[in-house]
Amino acid sequence: MFKLSAAAVTLATAGHVLAHGGVLSYSWGGQWYQGFKPYNSPTGQVTIQREWDTYDPIQDATASTIACNDDGTALPSGQQLTGTVAAGTAITAY
């Protein structure tokens, strides 16, 4: 009976589940790249990802933070990495 009740609750609430999160690292072609860690200071972070400030979901399409959940602040020179990805290469985000 418990299994049936648990399954019923799961199915009944499945459409109401919301999730959000962020990517903390990437890999392709045998290379690993750190993503941005929003709850650490941006000072000293070297990353291939744009800065973002929180895991909170963006719920307003007109929000100033719509671009990567950030106000547009750029990381200092030398902290923003770039990478070359050949066409067809699989990229894994963690």
Side-chain angles (χ1 to χ4, degrees):
M1 181 67 169
F2 177 74
K3 286 183 181 181
L4 181 58
S5 296
V9 169
T10 301
L11 290 174
T13 60
H16 300 285
V17 175
L18 299 174
H20 59 276
V23 175
L24 300 177
S25 62
Y26 302 84
S27 69
W28 69 85
Q31 295 289 326
W32 279 80
Y33 298 91
Q34 290 297 314
F36 189 78
K37 295 174 180 63
Y39 293 112
N40 293 348
S41 168
T43 304
Q45 286 197 54
V46 177
T47 177
I48 199 159
Q49 188 177 30
R50 276 189 64 178
E51 178 180 346
W52 50 286
D53 298 322
T54 176
Y55 288 107
D56 295 338
I58 297 170
Q59 298 180 356
D60 179 1
T62 63
S64 64
T65 57
I66 195 72
C68 299
N69 211 2
D70 182 60
D71 64 5
T73 305
L75 290 171
S77 179
Q79 288 183 237
Q80 184 67 60
L81 301 175
T82 60
T84 301
V85 182
T89 299
I91 299 172
T92 304
Y94 302 90

